[in-house]
Amino acid sequence: MKKIFLNLGRQPLANSFLKDISKKTIKREFFYNLKICFDTSNFLVSIQRPVNPKKQYTNEYAHRASESQTMRTAFKNIAFNLKKKFRPSTILEIGSNDGVFLKNFNPKKVIAVEPCKNLANITKKKFKTYPEFWNLKLSKKITKNKQRKIDLVFSANTISHIPNLKESLSSLYNVLSENGVIVIEDPSLLSILKNNSYDQFYDEHVYVFSAIAIKCLVKDYNLRLFDVDKISTHGGSLRYYICKNTAKYKSTSKLKKYLETEKKNNLNKFETYKKFSNRVKKSKKNLYELFKKIKRQNKKIISYGATYKSTTVFNYCKIDNKIFDYVTDTTKNKQGKFTPGTHIPIISPERGINETVDYAFLGAWNFKKEILKKEKERIKSGLKFITHVPYPRII
Ligand code: TMP
């Protein structure tokens, strides 16, 4: 049974940055109600009513996975490790974005699936690319003329975005070779609960997985979870290793231990989520009060990184251009646009990060280390960072 535990209110699409803020554009902006629920039968956390993916993954999709050094290095390392461990002769990536993972492989061995046409146009220059949504039809098309099925399916921050999880899983089974491995990375539910990072809930994260939920879910598709890695990307993620029931891989002790940790933290109980919801309400109140206090001192506050996460925070906490002068972001196609729902201008860091700024809110808190290192000199000359993770404070 699905039970709602968190209501993050009226939200826009997190990655739909506005080209202008004319009356006409604002009137057309899409909003939905972001409510999060827990399924007591399989421990799955999900959005109550997902948005139609055709509205989200358009040819104007803004997110570029290769935008940060942290992610470029993370994808390079995992590509190297997976090659060494499984020696795959065919690799399929679902949600290949701008090719940041695939570029570490021999293009002859690789297939990319990416429904956002602007991104698929980047990867198709080098790799066989299907500019389509992941589903049963596509999985059949991919394997139709193949002697062998796929040895390694990799998908980072994508499976959790696809509303039809059942079809998604049976399509994965469909393309997999007998001893093939599916490697999925997605934000970890336990990290979200520990970090109070409610901003990991937004329209694209239809599901937030845990190992106990994945273990339960894949069983219905003759698949088996056999290992898990804890990783630091996106503020704490999990990498799941899944194979066919009949494949040669044995369940690892690492997986057993991690499943126990999730149970010890009561991820299988609804009360845990109700408590989290109360912490989120408190975080909203405290963050808003912190900003108000700084504004009363006539200080200038900006936001650092126009992230999907900050869309959730701004709209839930009702933070707009009365608090922030602007948001800075390194991504060229976000610059000159406006934040979804709150309509704060986005400019380049070169223009926006200077001695007039007193405080910068870490919208991209998952890149805290990288950012604090980059801004070392500015911090020395007085710039202060604010974060809401795990609780609102000046760093
Ligand atoms: P994401 O968290 O939604 O993936 O996006 C991170 C955003 O933060 C992305 O648009 C790039 C931006 N960013 C900066 O503006 N400066 C930085 O130093 C880093 C690491 C990211």
Side-chain angles (χ1 to χ4, degrees):
M1 190 177 67
K2 281 187 188 174
K3 290 167 92 175
I4 294 171
F5 62 89
L6 181 63
N7 184 353
L8 293 167
R10 188 174 176 264
Q11 292 278 348
L13 300 182
N15 270 311
S16 279
F17 298 91
L18 274 66
K19 283 199 182 108
D20 60 74
I21 43 172
S22 65
K23 269 193 186 149
K24 198 174 150 203
T25 309
I26 291 176
K27 213 173 149 196
R28 283 214 311 249
E29 195 174 14
F30 175 83
F31 287 90
Y32 70 105
N33 198 318
L34 180 55
K35 287 185 183 166
I36 318 295
C37 50
F38 173 70
D39 192 327
T40 50
S41 62
N42 57 15
F43 318 123
L44 186 60
V45 165
S46 64
I47 292 182
Q48 186 205 20
R49 282 203 194 93
V51 171
N52 182 346
K54 286 189 183 141
K55 278 194 184 346
Q56 301 161 305
Y57 307 105
T58 65
N59 56 5
E60 291 186 5
Y61 190 72
H63 177 70
R64 296 280 182 284
S66 63
E67 203 51 44
S68 93
Q69 183 58 49
T70 311
M71 292 313 287
R72 287 196 296 274
T73 311
F75 282 122
K76 191 175 170 187
N77 290 342
I78 183 59
F80 178 81
N81 290 340
L82 292 175
K83 266 192 274 190
K84 204 169 135 196
K85 199 165 169 183
F86 300 113
R87 307 200 169 278
S89 19
T90 40
I91 299 114
L92 165 70
E93 188 182 13
I94 303 167
S96 50
N97 200 274
D98 55 7
V100 62
F101 170 77
L102 286 182
K103 72 175 186 194
N104 301 293
F105 290 87
N106 176 348
K108 287 191 193 123
K109 294 183 173 182
V110 160
I111 300 169
V113 171
E114 175 49 67
C116 304
K117 305 272 186 298
N118 56 335
L119 296 169
N121 283 341
I122 303 174
T123 56
K124 84 171 187 204
K125 288 181 194 143
K126 230 174 140 189
F127 308 108
K128 169 84 187 146
T129 302
Y130 291 88
E132 294 174 45
F133 285 100
W134 177 245
N135 56 29
L136 214 49
K137 198 168 142 210
L138 178 59
S139 77
K140 284 180 185 158
K141 190 152 100 182
I142 287 174
T143 46
K144 198 171 154 202
N145 300 318
K146 285 232 165 323
Q147 302 280 351
R148 280 191 66 181
K149 289 195 171 183
I150 308 289
D151 294 328
L152 173 66
V153 183
F154 183 78
S155 188
N157 303 302
T158 301
I159 299 301
S160 63
H161 295 216
I162 306 174
N164 195 340
L165 185 57
K166 291 181 178 174
E167 182 170 345
S168 203
L169 291 172
S170 57
S171 311
L172 284 171
Y173 180 89
N174 207 28
V175 292
L176 200 63
S177 66
E178 283 320 300
N179 279 309
V181 179
I182 302 162
V183 178
I184 293 172
E185 288 184 17
D186 273 299
S188 135
L189 184 57
L190 183 58
S191 298
I192 292 175
L193 296 188
K194 285 193 166 166
N195 283 331
N196 246 346
S197 48
Y198 61 87
D199 51 351
Q200 290 285 18
F201 293 113
Y202 72 109
D203 57 292
E204 293 176 23
H205 282 169
V206 180
Y207 303 100
V208 174
F209 296 135
S210 58
I212 47 171
I214 289 287
K215 184 173 184 259
C216 200
L217 286 159
V218 300
K219 268 187 195 155
D220 292 343
Y221 302 90
N222 289 323
L223 292 168
R224 177 163 60 83
L225 175 67
F226 68 93
D227 199 6
V228 71
D229 287 336
K230 275 204 284 181
I231 50 177
S232 60
T233 49
H234 294 288
S237 295
L238 284 182
R239 181 181 296 133
Y240 305 95
Y241 294 80
I242 299 161
C243 62
K244 286 190 172 175
N245 263 340
T246 47
K248 62 183 178 185
Y249 308 100
K250 290 208 169 77
S251 267
T252 64
S253 53
K254 187 152 44 93
L255 172 65
K256 193 172 166 221
K257 238 178 165 173
Y258 188 77
L259 289 166
E260 279 162 13
T261 307
E262 284 191 347
K263 284 203 180 126
K264 237 186 251 163
N265 282 278
N266 296 317
L267 257 60
N268 50 348
K269 296 195 179 116
F270 183 67
E271 295 74 52
T272 310
Y273 301 92
K274 280 309 287 177
K275 283 184 195 157
F276 167 70
S277 171
N278 290 334
R279 294 200 299 277
V280 172
K281 283 180 203 148
K282 197 168 151 200
S283 171
K284 171 184 178 171
K285 186 170 167 273
N286 292 348
L287 184 67
Y288 193 78
E289 278 170 8
L290 178 61
F291 285 137
K292 281 282 173 199
K293 192 173 145 198
I294 294 171
K295 279 318 261 187
R296 279 199 294 273
Q297 296 162 357
N298 274 329
K299 301 285 188 195
K300 175 171 168 180
I301 319 175
I302 65 153
S303 190
Y304 197 109
T307 66
Y308 62 78
K309 293 179 287 297
S310 51
T311 300
T312 299
V313 176
F314 296 172
N315 286 279
Y316 175 58
C317 301
K318 311 256 181 287
I319 295 164
D320 55 17
N321 50 15
K322 288 188 198 84
I323 305 267
F324 296 137
D325 285 51
Y326 47 80
V327 180
T328 62
D329 200 287
T330 50
T331 317
K332 292 268 179 305
N333 68 342
K334 290 185 185 175
Q335 294 165 6
K337 293 187 178 163
F338 297 84
T339 57
T342 46
H343 311 151
I344 308 164
I346 304 167
I347 63 173
S348 70
E350 291 77 21
R351 274 185 61 207
I353 302 176
N354 52 46
E355 56 296 336
T356 66
V357 181
D358 298 300
Y359 292 89
F361 173 67
L362 258 182
W365 58 265
N366 46 318
F367 298 119
K368 184 170 140 191
K369 243 190 192 165
E370 180 178 339
I371 292 170
L372 295 189
K373 193 170 158 204
K374 201 187 311 184
E375 301 300 343
K376 211 164 62 189
E377 290 310 313
R378 293 244 172 264
I379 294 170
K380 268 192 204 154
S381 52
L383 174 68
K384 292 190 182 70
F385 277 94
I386 294 174
T387 188
H388 67 295
V389 172
Y391 57 90
R393 68 190 199 282
I394 299 165
I395 298 173

